[in-house]
Amino acid sequence: MAMASTERVILGSIAFAIFWILAVFPAVPFMPIGRTAGSLLGANLMVIFRVLAPDEAYAAIDLPILGLLFGTMVVSIYLERADMFKYLGKLLAWKSRGPKDLLCRICLIAAISSAFFTNDTSCVILTEFVLKIARQQNLPPHPFLLALASSANIGSSATPIGNPQNLVIAVMSKISFGRFLFGVFPAMLVGVVVNTVLLLCMYWKSLSVQKDVENAEIELVSDEEVDSHRFSPATMSHVNSLHYQEQFSADSMNTSNQNQNNFNENEIKTDANGVFDSCRNSNASMEAANDGSLQMRDKNVTSKGTLSVDGCEDQNFTSYEEKHNFSEKWKKWLWKICVYLITIGMLISLLLGLNMSWTAITAALALVVLDFKDARECLEKVSYSLLIFFCGMFITVDGFNRTGIPSAFWDFMEPYAKIDHAGGVAVLAVVILVLSNLASNVPTVLLLGARVGASAATISAASEKKAWLILAWVSTVAGNLSLLGSAANLIVCEQAHRAQPSGYNLSLWTHLRFGVPSTLIVTAIGLTLIRD
């Protein structure tokens, strides 16, 4: 593609530079408007500067990618409601055999969950679980947070729905879900293992620190009490009934003793005052005793009747509540099973090669219908700001492509980046690695994707597919290089910082010290395992 006019090159470069600054540094002091607004600003400037016509700007928006992104987000929201990620979090601490075992579990679970539910979603859900477990066991959090972020990035490379740049690659290259998975999976699997070994080697001493067993046990018991102790109205009513019975028995005894004492006093008066008084008092006493007996009998009957009614009411209430709770619990479990089955059906459909965008949207709508209530609450959780960011980015990148600068850069690098030899693969990987950390991975894919694929297509069809998969692998793993290289890294950092009651600040240097060697080694090993 030839270079555009000087005016369009300059103005297009300015618009793209503004987009890049706000995308990489969303809180820049002179314009702290964020990534989404920065993306729209870049797109708007491309139209205002007449680098793109309005119709060309609308045409640059890739609807299949937006549909796939929207569908996977909705499915992830319903999986979260079905406690999918809660169960994954519990697996982290289930029968853990120590800090090193915990680190390996985090790497494995983060990689698997991110491959099917995106790396960003996995990091959002699992960060607080990881931080809580580390705090409970009095372990330094940073090895586990690094394990979560880096493994989520590596694991997400295996599927088209693992991260946004893979969505773009799958749609642009038209590689099926199954071919994508089998092409990158060996590299992903070995990459996760290598990354875990590097973490163990670098933080072996930190993970060997003995935890404070006494304090840990106190915290765990406290959590168990909170989770298991519940108060039910039926139980409280039963306690009150027993207390009332004891009080009634004591009152009956007092009444009986009082009547007996009155009867004895009347007998004493009989001996002192004569037969007439004795008979009169005896009759009065007998009447009083009979009246007292009748009153006691009536009181007993009434009280027993009241207690019986209360007991029946308590039993009926308890029985109703138990049946209601059982019914609700059964419905909830049935709903969860259906959510999991629909998700599995979506994955199977993707493996069979059905249209990825409409498959994800169909699964999302099936979950909405299954929920059988107003979907507003769940749909409000969709990250529409991310969808808008993508719209603006599509327009901005397309405008920058029309300046001719990316084509000129690729024309210079193409002779050295042929993937038919090891040197060319290495050069291509370095270019992708650098651009992914400078311009972010999704814009890099949009800028280089079509050119890399077209260059490899001149070699063979298999080489074209391999070039796309190399682009997916390197642009994804490149996110581990620095804290700013991936949104998943920033999510882990921010979630850990805001966690209650005690947050943790994962510094840029801490991430960089591990990220550089891990990224270079994992990328190099994975390149040898990418399949055609």
Side-chain angles (χ1 to χ4, degrees):
M1 180 178 180
M3 292 289 289
S5 63
T6 305
E7 180 184 2
R8 293 183 69 181
V9 169
I10 294 174
L11 294 176
S13 298
I14 292 173
F16 184 79
I18 292 174
F19 158 76
W20 177 82
I21 292 172
L22 295 176
V24 179
F25 307 104
V28 65
F30 63 85
M31 196 179 293
I33 61 176
R35 290 186 178 90
T36 302
S39 173
L40 290 177
L41 178 60
N44 195 35
L45 289 176
M46 286 293 182
V47 176
I48 292 175
F49 293 159
R50 296 185 178 180
V51 179
L52 287 175
D55 291 340
E56 292 174 336
Y58 287 125
I61 298 174
D62 199 323
L63 292 178
I65 295 175
L66 295 179
L68 181 57
L69 195 59
F70 172 79
T72 53
M73 282 192 287
V74 174
V75 172
S76 297
I77 290 168
Y78 278 96
L79 284 172
E80 182 182 355
R81 279 188 55 197
D83 296 332
M84 174 71 177
F85 298 99
K86 180 180 178 181
Y87 299 143
L88 290 177
K90 288 183 177 181
L91 282 176
L92 296 178
W94 183 66
K95 294 185 178 180
S96 177
R97 298 182 179 179
K100 302 177 184 67
D101 176 53
L102 177 61
L103 184 77
C104 295
R105 291 189 186 200
I106 291 173
C107 292
L108 179 62
I109 291 175
I112 294 174
S113 62
S114 62
F116 297 103
F117 311 115
T118 77
N119 53 353
D120 295 351
T121 301
S122 299
C123 290
V124 167
I125 302 299
L126 296 177
T127 297
E128 291 191 15
F129 281 106
V130 170
L131 189 61
K132 179 181 177 182
I133 293 172
R135 292 297 193 192
Q136 282 184 341
Q137 300 189 14
N138 293 330
L139 296 169
H142 60 277
F144 304 101
L145 295 176
L146 289 172
L148 174 61
S150 58
S151 298
N153 284 329
I154 296 172
S156 69
S157 65
T159 64
I161 60 175
N163 54 62
Q165 63 268 21
N166 281 11
L167 295 177
V168 175
I169 290 172
V171 173
M172 293 177 66
S173 67
K174 295 181 173 55
I175 297 176
S176 67
F177 188 96
R179 294 183 66 187
F180 196 110
L181 174 63
F182 294 122
V184 183
F185 182 78
M188 183 275 284
L189 186 62
V190 175
V192 171
V193 173
V194 172
N195 185 68
T196 305
V197 172
L198 291 174
L199 282 165
L200 290 173
C201 292
M202 184 170 290
Y203 297 105
W204 186 269
K205 291 183 179 180
S206 300
L207 298 174
S208 299
V209 176
Q210 295 294 323
K211 66 180 181 179
D212 189 345
V213 177
E214 183 178 356
N215 292 337
E217 288 179 351
I218 292 174
E219 287 189 9
L220 290 175
V221 170
S222 178
D223 288 344
E224 184 178 356
E225 287 180 355
V226 171
D227 291 337
S228 63
H229 211 59
R230 296 289 184 270
F231 293 101
S232 64
T235 303
M236 299 302 291
S237 299
H238 181 64
V239 172
N240 291 337
S241 299
L242 289 176
H243 178 69
Y244 180 76
Q245 284 181 346
E246 292 174 359
Q247 185 176 0
F248 170 75
S249 298
D251 292 341
S252 299
M253 292 292 293
N254 292 334
T255 304
S256 179
N257 291 334
Q258 184 178 0
N259 291 333
Q260 183 67 30
N261 291 334
N262 291 336
F263 185 79
N264 292 336
E265 289 178 359
N266 290 333
E267 287 183 340
I268 294 172
K269 289 180 180 179
T270 302
D271 294 334
N273 296 325
V275 177
F276 178 76
D277 291 338
S278 176
C279 293
R280 183 179 61 185
N281 291 335
S282 296
N283 292 334
S285 298
M286 290 177 65
E287 290 176 0
N290 291 334
D291 292 341
S293 298
L294 291 173
Q295 290 176 359
M296 286 181 60
R297 188 183 308 165
D298 293 339
K299 186 176 181 181
N300 287 336
V301 171
T302 304
S303 300
K304 289 179 180 179
T306 303
L307 287 175
S308 300
V309 172
D310 289 343
C312 292
E313 289 179 353
D314 291 341
Q315 291 178 358
N316 292 336
F317 181 74
T318 303
S319 177
Y320 171 78
E321 186 180 19
E322 289 177 353
K323 290 180 180 179
H324 179 72
N325 291 338
F326 178 78
S327 177
E328 290 297 321
K329 188 175 181 180
W330 173 250
K331 288 179 181 179
K332 186 175 181 180
W333 273 106
L334 184 62
W335 180 80
K336 287 183 181 181
I337 292 172
C338 291
V339 170
Y340 299 150
L341 289 176
I342 291 174
T343 305
I344 293 172
M346 181 190 76
L347 296 176
I348 293 174
S349 300
L350 293 173
L351 286 172
L352 293 176
L354 298 181
N355 184 279
M356 286 188 285
S357 299
W358 284 108
T359 298
I361 293 173
T362 302
L365 291 175
L367 292 174
V368 168
V369 173
L370 176 68
D371 202 24
F372 204 67
K373 64 181 181 181
D374 192 347
R376 182 186 305 173
E377 181 181 353
C378 286
L379 294 180
E380 285 177 350
K381 295 180 180 179
V382 172
S383 179
Y384 294 104
S385 61
L386 179 61
L387 298 177
I388 296 173
F389 172 81
F390 264 75
C391 291
M393 182 177 60
F394 287 141
I395 297 171
T396 305
V397 171
D398 188 62
F400 188 61
N401 277 330
R402 289 174 184 268
T403 63
I405 295 176
S407 296
F409 171 77
W410 180 249
D411 289 341
F412 173 76
M413 295 299 304
E414 184 179 12
Y416 309 100
K418 295 287 185 180
I419 65 170
D420 54 352
H421 59 280
V425 173
V427 171
L428 178 62
V430 171
V431 171
I432 299 171
L433 189 66
V434 173
L435 287 178
S436 293
N437 280 275
L438 290 178
S440 187
N441 39 30
V442 178
T444 297
V445 168
L446 290 172
L447 289 171
L448 294 182
R451 295 174 178 85
V452 171
S455 175
T458 59
I459 302 173
S460 66
S463 297
E464 180 183 7
K465 176 196 169 187
K466 184 176 180 179
W468 282 108
L469 297 180
I470 289 174
L471 180 60
W473 170 252
V474 179
S475 64
T476 300
V477 179
N480 286 337
L481 186 69
S482 70
L483 193 60
L484 302 175
S486 169
N489 299 342
L490 297 175
I491 288 171
V492 170
C493 181
E494 190 67 18
Q495 290 281 106
H497 180 68
R498 294 183 179 181
Q500 297 296 332
S502 56
Y504 180 81
N505 185 23
L506 183 63
S507 66
L508 179 65
W509 168 246
T510 301
H511 190 284
L512 198 64
R513 187 173 58 180
F514 169 75
V516 172
S518 172
T519 301
L520 296 178
I521 294 173
V522 171
T523 301
I525 294 176
L527 286 173
T528 63
L529 300 172
I530 298 293
R531 296 181 178 180
D532 296 337

